[in-house]
């Protein structure tokens, strides 16, 4: 499913794409080239890889558009 909720009157995927992050990879994870609001496991991604891309997308959208994207998921630290 989607990584972020859509902000009012906008689409999270569009904002992430406008930050030139579509297709960005980190470790085994990738911001999908088909839909920028999806992160996919391309090559045995670790949870840290996925979280890095989530944080990167959030921070870049905040910096460029001053929009604070809200995650669809809750993250837990099991340690």
């Amino acid at each position: 499913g989607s990584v972020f909720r859509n902000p009012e009157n906008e689409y999270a995927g569009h904002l992430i794409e406008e930050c030139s992050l579509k297709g960005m990879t980190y470790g085994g994870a990738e911001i999908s080239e088909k839909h920028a609001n999806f992160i996919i496991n391309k090559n045995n991604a670790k949870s840290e890889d996925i979280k890095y891309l989530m944080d990167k997308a959030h921070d870049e959208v905040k910096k460029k558009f001053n929009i604070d994207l809200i995650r669809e998921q809750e993250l837990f630290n099991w340690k």
Side-chain angles (χ1 to χ4, degrees):
S2 297
V3 176
F4 298 102
R5 297 178 188 169
N6 288 326
E8 190 172 332
N9 301 318
E10 188 53 88
Y11 295 101
H14 176 253
L15 295 169
I16 295 165
E17 186 173 345
E18 288 296 310
C19 292
S20 301
L21 297 175
K22 204 172 189 181
M24 179 182 185
T25 61
Y26 184 83
E30 175 185 86
I31 296 177
S32 176
E33 293 182 17
K34 293 183 181 181
H35 192 298
N37 198 18
F38 293 159
I39 295 178
I40 58 176
N41 184 343
K42 289 287 280 192
N43 188 20
N44 296 316
K46 298 178 181 176
S47 60
E48 294 86 7
D49 302 338
I50 296 167
K51 184 171 182 314
Y52 175 87
L53 290 178
M54 291 171 78
D55 292 343
K56 178 72 171 174
H58 174 274
D59 294 348
E60 292 298 315
V61 168
K62 178 71 172 173
K63 184 168 54 173
K64 185 169 185 170
F65 298 104
N66 198 31
I67 294 175
D68 192 17
L69 293 176
I70 299 170
R71 289 189 177 109
E72 288 279 4
Q73 306 80 13
E74 291 188 40
L75 303 178
F76 295 94
N77 185 355
W78 296 102
K79 295 178 183 181

